[in-house]
Amino acid sequence: MAEKYLLECVDISKSFGPTKAVVHVDLAIPRGTICGLIGENGSGKSTLCNIVTGILKPDSGAMTLKGEPFAPGCLLDSKSRGISILLQETGTINGMSVAENIFLGKESQFSRWGCVNRKRMNAEAQRVIDEMGLEVSAEARIDKLSFENRKLVEVIRAMCDNPELLIVDETTTALSQYGREKIYSIIQRMKEEGRSVIFITHDLNELMSVCDCATVLRDGHCIDTVYKQDFSEDRIRQCMIGRDLTGSYYRGDAPGELPADETVVLDARGVSLGRSVRRVSLQLKRGEILGIGGLTDCGMHTLAQLLFGALTPDEGEVVHCQTGAKITSPKQAIDLGMAYIPKDRDQASVFPASSIRDNVTVAATDRLG
C-alpha cells in the first residue's frame, strides 16, 4: 500500500547565529493535498521550505520522502527526487530566451555532438507554453516580458520536471487575477493526480479558498494545523500573532483620519504613452485613496510611472496642483513629496548589491551630506 504521507519533517530546527529561525517543527504532507503554510514575516516559512529543497541544511531533525530517508544536498538533488519550488523573487535569467530559461540545465535532451538544437528546444518550449495558455513566444528574450509572464515562465519550468511536490512560496503575491488563476488551476490538477502542494501566502482569503489545511508558524515554532472544515480568519490570525486582535491597528497617539475634501492635489490631463496608456485623465483629491485597477497589461503600471515622472508621456501632462509644477522626473516628484513603490521590486525597487542603509537613504543622499 502506498505511504500516506509524501513528505514528513520531524523535529526540524535551524538557527542563524543567535536567531532561531525554525524550532523543533513537525510537518506532514499527505498525498493529493494542498497544504497551506502561513505566518508573519520571520516566522520560519521560507527557511523550512529551503530545508526541504536542500537550499539549507537543518541543524537537527530528519525528513522522509515517499517513506524513505530524505536529506537533499542541494536544490538539484531535491528536484531529481520530485520536488520543485516557485519563489517570490525573480527566478529567470535576463539575456536568455524563454525556451532557454524553461530548459535551463536540461539542454542535453536537445543536444547532439555537443551542439544544442535550438529549433527543437524552441518547438518543445512553445508546445508547453501553448498547453498552459500563455501568449508568449518561446524565442522571445525573457527580459522583454512583463513581470507576471516571467513568473508564469517559472511555473512552466517547474512543471516540466513533473514534480510530485510543488512548493509555491508567496509566488501569487504580485500577480494579477489572471496569473493567480493559472497557478490555482495547476495546483488543483496536481491534487487531482495525487500529487501535493505546499502553498505559502499572507492572504487569508486566498489560503482558505485554495488549501485543504493550513499549518501556522510563529517565531519558528509550529503552532497548529487547521483543516478546511475549521477554517476561520479569526482562528488563523490568532494562531499567527498569539492573541486575539482587538482594538485599533494604529497607535493611540496617531493623528486622526483626515477628512477628504474637494482640493485636487495631483491632476493627470490627457496622458498618453504608446499603446499602453491613451488619453487618461484623473484627479487625486486631498485625503483620498484613488485606486487604479485592471487586467494584465491594461496600462495601470505604466500610468503609475507616468504619474511619478519615471516615464515621459507622448502627450498630456501630470500637474502637482499645490505648486503648479509639471511632473517630469522622479527626482522632482520626490522633492514635491511623492513616493512610488513599483510592482517588480527586484528590478525597479532595490539595489541588491548595496546595503540596507544605502537602499533606505538613496532618495535622500543630498540631505545627508
Side-chain angles (χ1 to χ4, degrees):
M1 186 177 68
E3 66 282 347
K4 179 180 178 181
Y5 295 111
L6 176 63
L7 173 73
E8 287 187 271
C9 303
V10 180
D11 201 30
I12 299 294
S13 294
K14 179 67 179 179
S15 296
F16 300 96
T19 302
K20 295 182 178 181
V22 175
V23 185
H24 303 299
V25 167
D26 294 336
L27 180 67
I29 307 297
R31 285 186 175 276
T33 304
I34 303 171
C35 299
L37 192 59
I38 194 165
E40 295 185 291
N41 288 331
S43 62
K45 305 183 300 296
S46 293
T47 299
L48 181 60
C49 289
N50 286 339
I51 290 171
V52 170
T53 55
I55 297 173
L56 295 173
K57 297 185 184 302
D59 297 334
S60 62
M63 296 186 289
T64 59
L65 182 68
K66 295 181 283 188
E68 298 180 356
F70 178 59
C74 63
L75 188 59
L76 290 176
D77 191 4
S78 63
K79 285 181 69 174
S80 69
R81 299 282 296 274
I83 298 177
S84 291
I85 185 169
L86 299 173
L87 299 171
Q88 183 180 17
E89 293 77 14
T90 301
T92 51
I93 300 177
N94 289 344
M96 299 174 67
S97 71
V98 171
E100 288 169 333
N101 270 277
I102 289 174
F103 293 113
L104 187 65
K106 295 179 283 188
E107 296 86 355
S108 59
Q109 62 184 286
F110 304 102
S111 298
R112 189 176 184 185
W113 299 311
C115 296
V116 176
N117 186 328
R118 298 193 181 279
K119 185 176 181 180
R120 277 184 55 214
M121 178 188 286
N122 289 338
E124 179 60 17
Q126 196 64 58
R127 183 188 68 78
V128 296
I129 290 170
D130 293 343
E131 189 177 273
M132 186 173 174
L134 187 61
E135 296 181 4
V136 167
S137 169
E139 300 180 40
R141 276 184 43 165
I142 196 73
D143 38 307
K144 298 299 183 181
L145 270 58
S146 67
F147 173 81
E148 178 165 83
N149 281 338
R150 292 203 307 270
K151 295 306 296 182
L152 292 176
V153 168
E154 293 177 44
V155 175
I156 293 173
R157 182 173 63 197
M159 297 311 296
C160 282
D161 293 323
N162 197 29
E164 291 192 65
L165 175 64
L166 178 65
I167 301 173
V168 182
D169 189 356
E170 297 188 50
T171 308
T172 58
T173 301
L175 298 184
S176 70
Q177 192 61 32
Y178 167 81
R180 291 186 177 204
E181 291 294 343
K182 287 292 184 184
I183 293 180
Y184 297 160
S185 66
I186 287 172
I187 63 179
Q188 186 62 38
R189 187 170 72 240
M190 288 189 66
K191 174 184 174 179
E192 293 168 357
E193 294 171 351
R195 295 184 282 170
S196 304
V197 178
I198 296 176
F199 191 84
I200 302 176
T201 180
H202 283 287
D203 186 332
L204 292 183
N205 289 326
E206 180 181 52
L207 177 101
M208 293 189 293
S209 172
V210 171
C211 299
D212 301 306
C213 61
T215 295
V216 184
L217 297 183
R218 184 172 76 237
D219 297 330
H221 294 79
C222 181
I223 302 302
D224 196 5
T225 295
V226 184
Y227 294 90
K228 198 173 190 75
Q229 64 268 23
D230 300 318
F231 278 173
S232 74
E233 286 192 33
D234 288 341
R235 178 174 177 180
I236 296 173
R237 189 180 292 114
Q238 196 277 337
C239 289
M240 288 172 60
I241 65 177
R243 57 181 173 81
D244 292 327
L245 189 61
T246 58
S248 173
Y249 283 98
Y250 307 104
R251 291 168 31 189
D253 60 346
E257 180 180 342
L258 295 174
D261 60 32
E262 295 303 309
T263 303
V264 177
V265 295
L266 191 70
D267 190 4
R269 303 168 181 172
V271 176
S272 296
L273 181 63
R275 300 179 63 182
S276 298
V277 176
R278 301 181 183 181
R279 297 180 295 279
V280 172
S281 297
L282 60 82
Q283 292 182 331
L284 176 67
K285 298 176 181 179
R286 181 181 296 156
E288 182 179 62
I289 299 173
L290 174 62
I292 300 173
L295 300 175
T296 301
D297 297 327
C298 68
M300 57 185 172
H301 303 300
T302 302
L303 177 59
Q305 291 175 293
L306 288 167
L307 295 176
F308 191 63
L311 293 174
T312 301
D314 297 332
E315 60 179 282
E317 60 187 12
V318 179
V319 178
H320 182 263
C321 295
Q322 184 177 354
T323 62
K326 297 179 182 179
I327 307 297
T328 58
S329 71
K331 184 180 186 305
Q332 180 192 23
I334 292 170
D335 290 342
L336 291 170
M338 296 175 61
Y340 171 60
I341 302 176
K343 178 179 181 178
D344 189 346
R345 67 181 188 185
D346 293 331
Q347 300 293 323
S349 185
V350 298
F351 299 97
S354 298
S355 67
I356 294 174
R357 180 192 63 187
D358 289 345
N359 271 278
V360 169
T361 60
V362 65
T365 51
D366 57 339
R367 302 197 299 273
L368 299 174

